[in-house]
Amino acid sequence: MSLKSWIEETFSRRECVKFILSSRDLHRCFPVNQVCQNLIRCCCGRLMVEHLQQEAPAPTVIFPVPEQDVAEDWSLELHTTASPTDAYGTIDFQDSATRACRAKFVRLAVDSKPEALLQLMLKEWQMERPKLLLTVHGGSENFTLPPKVKQAFSKGLITAARSTGAWILTDGINTGVSKYVGEAVKTFGGHNLRKRNTIGITPWGVIDNNADLIGRDVFKPYQPLGNPLRKRAYLNGFHSHFLLVDDGTLGKYGCQEGLRKKLQKHIQLLKIHPRLKQRVPMVCVVVEGGPAIVSTVLDYVSNDPPVPVFVFEGSGRAADLFAFLHKHTDIDRQLDADIKLDFLARIGDVFGVDRKEASRLCALLLECMDHRQSITIFDSESEEQMAPDAAILTTILKDVK
């Protein structure tokens, strides 16, 4: 079977085929006029007019009129259909003046099997078998890293990856921590594209002008314009591979997380070499980050076996909260009452949340500290710290007993 046939048989795209009004407020215009078709959205994120224009069979419209109260909840299973993927091949990034940057990509359904993904990556894309998995989490919006933190993160991550033959996983977008990973690859990565295993796992529906990527086994020029007025995301040009996760929605983040978790678990089951028993170790690297990172870290450190977490202190928000708590607690020492009050206020200020949400996040942060042996805090300002790449690799020893 050809690669083209195998990909289209194995991977699907998802399309919403049922318009369900996203707002529960009744729309008084019935039947719907053309002006309103450009104003009201389906729960999938598309405007009604976009639903009516799509190439798939005309969608069923679930639309409340004043005499009715339709309370149907949108779901992937009930309101989308799967069809063979229509977007895969190679992206040729046009803004990388210093060197040719190309990436393999595929649009695939959110419920794709991780076994198929590994076959795609190892056999079809011929990626080198990983010896280590570095999964990078942090803020998705742009933020500024202090120079020392940026240097430590960039050089440490890429040196650790190159010295071990690691795969790096990110969200793949051209903002936030994924952009910093791309800059690190640009500055410290080698020129051998086969050894540049930086994988973006990105929601298909958030990519600006994603229709430009549609085509089977194509070579697509791609220009990330980075217009600040646009709400959609652009792919980062220094990633080598993209898994574009499609759940039938438009402009909505989050669908990639479940697939990323499943893929990571399957990568961990791989042997670092067919003749060796040792499985691929994983390290979670945290830079900055919003409230969701707290739950992500708790998932990693409470896993069995735990996944070591490496936090760059000084990078901001969630990372600095972890660093603060790690210093002010110990296995036998709880957070002092007066410090806890100040810490709650700090959580509210950092994340812009109310007292109730700050208390919930504080409880999760403290729960993470119950697994503090799996959390390493790296202080770029400290002269006593070892080199960042050595520090990252040392965390693996905590995981391998």
Side-chain angles (χ1 to χ4, degrees), residues 9-308:
E9 271 199 16
T10 306
F11 299 109
S12 304
R13 61 189 175 107
R14 283 279 178 177
E15 190 110 40
C16 178
V17 292
K18 201 167 190 178
F19 184 96
I20 299 178
L21 188 65
S22 62
S23 172
R24 290 302 181 203
D25 296 331
L26 294 181
H27 189 83
R28 300 296 175 184
C29 172
F30 191 83
V32 187
N33 61 43
Q34 280 191 318
V35 173
C36 291
Q37 287 179 13
N38 288 287
L39 296 175
I40 58 175
R41 291 187 182 275
C42 173
C43 292
C44 75
R46 287 175 179 79
L47 293 167
M48 174 176 259
V49 68
E50 292 174 319
H51 256 292
L52 297 175
Q53 290 172 353
Q54 67 189 29
E55 294 180 9
T60 303
V61 177
I62 298 296
F63 196 80
V65 296
E67 294 79 19
Q68 296 175 309
D69 182 16
V70 178
E72 184 172 0
D73 290 323
W74 189 93
S75 75
L76 175 84
E77 296 78 12
L78 295 176
H79 303 128
T80 69
T81 58
S83 54
T85 185
D86 61 351
Y88 61 92
T90 301
I91 297 172
D92 181 31
F93 288 94
Q94 300 292 296
D95 67 334
S96 308
T98 54
R99 74 178 85 155
C101 283
R102 294 170 182 168
K104 298 286 188 182
F105 80 99
V106 63
R107 175 188 186 181
L108 45 86
V110 67
D111 52 357
S112 298
K113 294 181 179 179
E115 300 92 336
L117 292 177
L118 279 179
Q119 181 175 339
L120 172 73
M121 298 163 84
L122 292 170
K123 294 185 178 179
E124 311 303 342
W125 285 350
Q126 298 184 337
M127 295 176 66
E128 292 186 355
R129 181 183 290 260
K131 310 294 190 300
L132 169 66
L133 183 60
L134 297 169
T135 181
V136 183
H137 292 272
S140 58
E141 301 292 331
N142 282 323
F143 57 89
T144 301
L145 283 179
K148 281 190 176 181
V149 179
K150 182 180 177 181
Q151 173 73 8
F153 167 69
S154 300
K155 188 173 183 180
L157 181 75
I158 303 305
T159 304
R162 291 186 67 188
S163 65
T164 58
W167 287 3
I168 299 172
L169 296 189
T170 81
D171 281 341
I173 57 176
N174 200 33
T175 56
V177 70
S178 299
K179 185 175 182 178
Y180 277 117
V181 171
E183 290 178 1
V185 172
K186 178 181 177 180
T187 305
F188 297 104
H191 289 264
N192 187 339
L193 299 184
R194 283 208 62 197
K195 294 186 180 294
R196 192 165 51 91
N197 295 319
T198 308
I199 304 145
I201 304 179
T202 315
W204 168 264
V206 307
I207 302 168
D208 194 60
N209 295 326
N210 55 17
D212 292 347
L213 297 176
I214 291 176
R216 293 173 170 85
D217 197 20
V218 292
F219 184 85
K220 287 283 187 179
Y222 184 85
Q223 181 79 42
L225 299 174
N227 185 344
L229 300 178
R230 302 283 291 188
K231 292 184 178 180
R232 302 279 189 83
Y234 295 87
L235 299 177
N236 180 267
F238 290 95
H239 285 62
S240 57
H241 303 81
F242 288 97
L243 303 175
L244 307 179
V245 186
D246 187 6
D247 68 346
T249 65
L250 189 69
K252 296 176 184 283
Y253 284 89
C255 71
Q256 79 281 10
E257 291 300 336
L259 187 66
R260 180 171 174 173
K261 282 183 183 179
K262 288 191 289 185
L263 177 60
Q264 287 175 171
K265 285 183 181 294
H266 273 73
I267 292 172
Q268 285 182 282
L269 294 175
L270 289 174
K271 294 178 180 178
I272 60 173
H273 189 279
R275 296 180 182 177
L276 299 176
K277 290 183 179 180
Q278 187 182 342
R279 308 286 181 179
V280 175
M282 177 165 74
V283 176
C284 166
V285 178
V286 175
V287 179
E288 208 247 7
I293 298 299
V294 179
S295 297
T296 299
V297 168
L298 182 57
D299 284 344
Y300 282 127
V301 296
S302 59
N303 202 26
D304 185 21
V307 173

Side-chain angles (χ1 to χ4, degrees), residues 361-398:
L361 290 168
C362 183
L364 293 177
L365 284 159
L366 287 169
E367 194 174 346
C368 289
M369 292 304 117
D370 292 339
H371 308 273
R372 59 186 300 113
Q373 70 278 5
S374 296
I375 300 174
T376 299
I377 308 296
F378 186 85
D379 181 3
S380 307
E381 299 287 342
S382 172
E383 295 181 359
E384 298 177 3
Q385 287 277 16
M386 65 177 76
D389 57 302
I392 291 172
L393 297 177
T394 300
T395 64
I396 302 170
L397 301 177
K398 295 182 179 182

